[in-house]
Amino acid sequence: MPAPDRSKFHSELLRWYEENKREMPWRRTRDPYRIWISEILLQQTRVDTVRARYESFLERFPTVRHLAEARIAEVLLAWQGLGYYGRARNLHRAARLITQQYSGEIPQDPVTLQRLPGIGLYTARAIASIAFGKDVAVLDGNVMRVLCRVFRLQGDPRTTAARSRLQALADELLPKGKASTFNQAMMELGALVCRPARPLCSDCPLSPVCQAFRKKQVHAFPKKTPRKPSPTRLRVVAAVFHRSRILFVHRPPEGLLGGLWELPGLYVNGGDTQDGFEKLKEMLRKVATLEAVSTREPFSVDHVYTHFREHLQVISCRGRPVASSCAMRQAEPFFQWIHPTQLSHFALTGASRKILGQVLS
Ligand code: SF4
């Protein structure tokens, strides 16, 4: 980009940002802990949702030490409904590392930040620039879209090669000493004006320098190669009741939805739901020593994850102790009978909450 354009780019963008930026609680602070929490919350979660949950999370865990000293179950409970629970587990791990290795001080250097769980290139640079004023440029979906359009960049930004070019361009554009404002202005412009669909080019401060706008090719950027449709997995699930309580399973601590509670279920290969229900009942008989007796017709629930969809076939059952056992055991530590009034004390998977919404209504 020629030098005069670049100076116009900066001055128009920063002026626009000062006049149009939205009021956000995390924009009122330079506290690195609060900025870190906001950045993790904002990953894959809508701004309005984050705004509603940010203060309550910080009231519950006001400092990195409070977060480090909490049990993971408490953190997952506070995270309930926000999805992508790996973020909560990583936050907790990172808080412990920060207290153990950095005396409770969040590192300033983006390379050091990136060594912490859950902090990738974008988040490290966001914390380093916004909280500590480091001269590093961020690249999120909004920034990529703005750059692809302004510079008419070829290449799908989801590819590594295009992303490296975009990062180099963002670094080159960054005005020294203004990283915090510049980064936030680029992200805000992408969110409010240079939107994926229906960008507001006539209100855009960058329209005088935007090459896609000048050539009337705005909708051709960013370039996108078609994605494969995400697969659908079939799962049978049982909502088992006994003495007004419901049976839940604790998922293993690592991996997808790690540490959350869910209704017992099994994936079904080959699409034979009936066979799946039989296997599920057999599993409940063996592991939870109960006979699951269906009380209504199966019903279905769909749930979407990042890389796949789940089609859930659900049976509602009454649980009866099997003849050989005097009482259904709480035996396996990963099983728990929970009364509906106590559910708010447990972090549940989104799919289980959806099913309960139907079963308990
Ligand atoms: Fe985006 Fe339009 Fe602004 Fe170009 S002029 S940066 S396409 S909003």
Side-chain angles (χ1 to χ4, degrees), residues 53 71-89 235 247-264 303 305 333-336 338 343 345-353:
R53 300 286 295 272
R71 287 179 299 116
I72 182 61
E74 297 173 81
V75 181
L76 291 173
L77 189 57
W79 201 265
Q80 186 163 230
L82 290 165
Y84 303 99
Y85 287 84
R87 293 181 296 170
R89 288 193 298 276
R235 185 171 169 84
L247 185 65
F248 282 86
V249 184
H250 202 201
R251 290 182 65 94
E254 298 302 328
L256 180 73
L257 308 171
L260 300 194
W261 292 89
E262 68 178 358
L263 297 167
H303 196 71
Y305 295 92
F334 52 88
F335 276 107
Q336 178 118 2
I338 304 175
L343 287 174
H345 300 299
F346 293 83
L348 309 181
T349 64
S352 290
R353 274 186 284 118

Side-chain angles (χ1 to χ4, degrees), residues 137-193:
V138 299
L139 196 64
D140 73 346
N142 286 321
V143 177
M144 285 193 263
R145 188 168 54 258
V146 173
L147 292 177
C148 283
R149 286 173 173 169
V150 170
F151 293 91
R152 286 181 72 248
L153 290 179
Q154 308 298 323
D156 183 339
R158 290 174 300 196
T159 63
T160 312
R163 205 171 273 229
S164 311
R165 281 207 307 280
L166 283 162
Q167 185 65 65
L169 179 58
D171 289 342
E172 197 250 323
L173 271 177
L174 188 80
K176 297 286 173 272
K178 293 183 182 164
S180 171
T181 317
F182 179 80
N183 283 336
Q184 293 185 79
M186 287 289 281
M187 292 191 277
E188 193 76 333
L189 188 81
L192 298 182
V193 177

Side-chain angles (χ1 to χ4, degrees), residues 8-296:
K8 193 170 178 72
F9 186 111
H10 292 150
S11 60
E12 291 298 314
L13 176 71
L14 298 182
R15 179 190 54 73
W16 173 87
Y17 180 64
E18 280 314 313
E19 289 169 6
N20 295 283
K21 66 183 171 194
R22 291 168 292 179
E23 169 62 20
M24 305 282 189
W26 48 90
R27 286 193 175 144
R28 287 186 234 123
T29 181
R30 297 289 296 270
D31 177 343
Y33 174 68
R34 297 176 84 84
I35 287 165
W36 171 39
I37 298 296
S38 74
E39 288 297 339
I40 302 297
L41 281 165
L42 285 163
Q43 290 168 3
Q44 290 137 332
T45 304
R46 289 162 49 84
V47 169
D48 288 345
T49 309
V50 174
R51 221 200 289 245
R53 300 286 295 272
Y54 175 70
E55 295 293 356
S56 60
F57 189 88
L58 287 168
E59 271 168 31
R60 178 70 194 77
F61 309 107
T63 65
V64 71
R65 284 194 189 282
H66 287 89
L67 184 57
E69 285 164 10
R71 287 179 299 116
I72 182 61
E74 297 173 81
V75 181
L76 291 173
L77 189 57
W79 201 265
Q80 186 163 230
L82 290 165
Y84 303 99
Y85 287 84
R87 293 181 296 170
R89 288 193 298 276
N90 282 333
L91 259 183
H92 188 239
R93 276 193 214 112
R96 291 192 164 178
L97 282 172
I98 291 167
T99 52
Q100 288 158 9
Q101 295 182 6
Y102 302 101
S103 313
E105 298 289 329
I106 293 176
Q108 299 193 16
D109 170 36
V111 176
T112 312
L113 279 164
Q114 242 186 290
R115 292 195 198 112
L116 294 168
I119 299 189
L121 183 67
Y122 162 79
T123 309
R125 285 171 163 244
I127 298 169
S129 61
I130 298 170
F132 300 114
K134 301 284 179 194
D135 278 328
V136 283
V138 299
L139 196 64
D140 73 346
N142 286 321
V143 177
M144 285 193 263
R145 188 168 54 258
V146 173
L147 292 177
C148 283
R149 286 173 173 169
V150 170
F151 293 91
R152 286 181 72 248
L153 290 179
Q154 308 298 323
D156 183 339
R158 290 174 300 196
T159 63
T160 312
R163 205 171 273 229
S164 311
R165 281 207 307 280
L166 283 162
Q167 185 65 65
L169 179 58
D171 289 342
E172 197 250 323
L173 271 177
L174 188 80
K176 297 286 173 272
K178 293 183 182 164
S180 171
T181 317
F182 179 80
N183 283 336
Q184 293 185 79
M186 287 289 281
M187 292 191 277
E188 193 76 333
L189 188 81
L192 298 182
V193 177
C194 194
R195 306 179 304 195
R198 299 193 306 280
L200 305 172
C201 299
S202 51
D203 296 333
C204 178
L206 298 185
S207 60
V209 295
C210 178
Q211 296 178 21
F213 177 65
R214 201 177 295 167
K215 291 193 177 281
K216 298 188 173 37
Q217 293 176 338
V218 169
H219 292 288
F221 295 90
K223 297 285 181 198
K224 278 191 187 138
T225 43
R227 270 189 183 172
K228 280 195 208 144
S230 54
T232 299
R233 298 182 190 168
L234 175 62
R235 185 171 169 84
V236 288
V237 176
V240 186
F241 287 78
H242 179 63
R243 294 186 179 150
S244 304
R245 292 177 302 161
I246 310 166
L247 185 65
F248 282 86
V249 184
H250 202 201
R251 290 182 65 94
E254 298 302 328
L256 180 73
L257 308 171
L260 300 194
W261 292 89
E262 68 178 358
L263 297 167
L266 290 175
Y267 282 113
V268 175
N269 293 321
D272 187 344
T273 312
Q274 200 47 46
D275 184 52
F277 281 137
E278 293 309 319
K279 285 191 174 131
L280 178 56
K281 286 181 177 179
E282 185 55 29
M283 187 268 283
L284 291 169
R285 171 186 272 275
K286 274 195 190 145
V287 190
T289 63
L290 67 84
E291 195 89 52
V293 183
S294 306
T295 53
R296 66 181 252 194

Side-chain angles (χ1 to χ4, degrees), residues 300-312:
S300 55
V301 169
D302 290 303
H303 196 71
V304 180
Y305 295 92
T306 330
H307 300 299
F308 68 98
R309 296 161 177 273
E310 265 187 356
H311 180 66
L312 305 154

